[in-house]
Amino acid sequence: MNVHESEKIAGILTSRGYMLSQTVEEADVIVLNTCCVRETAETKVYGHLGRIKSKKKQGAVIVVCGCMTQQNGAAERLVKRCPFVNIVIGTFNQPRLGDYLDRFIQTGTRVIEVWSSEKDGDSLESASPVRSSGINAWVNIMYGCNNFCTYCIVPYVRGRERCRPIDDIISDVDSLLKKGYKQITLLGQNVNSYKYLDKTFPDLLKSLESDTKYRLKFMTSHPKDISPDIAQIIYDSKVLSRSLHLPVQAGSDRILQAMNRHYTREEYLSKISAFRSLIPDIGLSSDVMVGFPTETEEDFLQTLDLVERVKYNNLFMFIYSRRSGTPADTMPQLDYDTKQKRIDRLIKFQFEISKQLALSSVGHTAEVLVSDKDGDKCYGKSETDAAITFNSDSAKVGDFVRVKIVSAKNANLTGEVI
Ligand code: SAH
Ligand code: SF4
């Protein structure tokens, strides 16, 4: 989501005559797009700002935007701690970045505009993004979130759910395919709750079927809202990736309830089974958190057990991070050591699973969409979202190439062109 917003910010600036620069040293304007989902992201911002300060040329304007500025007290801290930052804005103010820059350049007065009307953020849509993700184009289908998981800051900084008109999404995808993009990733915090007039997410997916060869992905799905229809739609589709990112967060019912996730481990596992029984080789990935307030050893073992049962191809693992203003911040917290030990155990555990899954795919064939090439070495992802490397002189970035998987080293797969 943030990568795509950075593309839109670049779009706003280029439409005003700015050009992308390759280095901090030569830039006249430096924009830091921040995130506050986890504390680590926030800490990194200060590190980056320190480095930028020493490298930037005299008079370069520094802008800090993104959701970190909207967190309780974060903008005030930033303004005090970093007097060399010239413009501080929130996500809803981003569409007006060009005007703020003009204002700062004309008056020399710092611009601090963190909250404006919620709707304004959506007009970033009118900015034509400077896309930077190669063969992939991101397309927002909705903004905000209504779920209020107790650990999460997103609903506070991104506002309530707002869905884009289905026709706008379809025409965006159409024109991106005409421009030659080979992969489209639909974005939303909870894509399964997409609704525009009488159109739902399954309707949207069906209307993006095409005779043009491309790959369609979406993120993120919420286990409480994903319907079995989606499995059938993936099964029937010519364009959808045979993969699903379905964040579980925790494997213990008690913790899931404390997180306000609205599903049990059994409900989650039965949804996974429904997808697997229709699409046995579906690539599954998830987000998992350890060290949520009050998590016991028993709760953590339940998470390991769920991870073992599902056998995810890819797992994004996080230590719970306190976010001021969220309900979980006021719950009894775990100590740092316990959280650190649990994440280490989980990472090792998943590493073995990924290794086994990779080994078991040797001998299978896959269709790789080439996303990068270095010499004759091609990199890309299969239709089930596995990363595969292979050698080819003739394959180009953006090609779909059939390969046979010939070896696996840890989770890394090597293929040979068929
Ligand atoms: N809307 C998506 C993802 C939102 S944020 C969803 O519901 O799945 C991406 C991931 O960051 C989450 O899935 C969660 O695992 C993690 N995350 C969110 N808040 C966090 C926090 N306070 N501490 C640690 N991880 C967090
Ligand atoms: Fe955060 Fe939950 Fe919304 Fe995802 S669904 S953005 S985790 S509140």
Side-chain angles (χ1 to χ4, degrees), residues 37-38 151 189 220 247 249 261 287 289 318-319 321 323:
V37 167
R38 284 173 294 276
Y151 50 80
Q189 294 297 351
T220 296
Q249 312 297 356
R261 290 289 287 180
D287 296 347
M289 209 183 291
F318 308 109
I319 295 182
S321 168
R323 303 286 68 200

Side-chain angles (χ1 to χ4, degrees), residues 225-243:
D225 292 316
I226 192 160
S227 74
D229 300 1
I230 302 291
Q232 190 64 48
I233 291 170
I234 295 177
Y235 182 82
D236 293 335
S237 173
K238 284 193 290 190
V239 297
L240 274 163
S241 169
R242 282 210 312 277
S243 63

Side-chain angles (χ1 to χ4, degrees), residues 144-155 189-190 220 222 224 249 259-261 289:
C145 182
N146 290 348
N147 288 314
F148 290 94
C149 303
T150 54
Y151 50 80
C152 185
I153 195 76
V154 171
Q189 294 297 351
N190 182 5
T220 296
H222 195 303
K224 79 177 164 65
Q249 312 297 356
M259 286 176 162
N260 194 32
R261 290 289 287 180
M289 209 183 291

Side-chain angles (χ1 to χ4, degrees), residues 56-70:
K56 75 175 184 94
K57 68 180 176 192
Q58 184 83 22
V61 183
I62 301 187
V63 182
V64 177
C65 61
C67 64
M68 184 198 109
T69 64
Q70 288 163 249

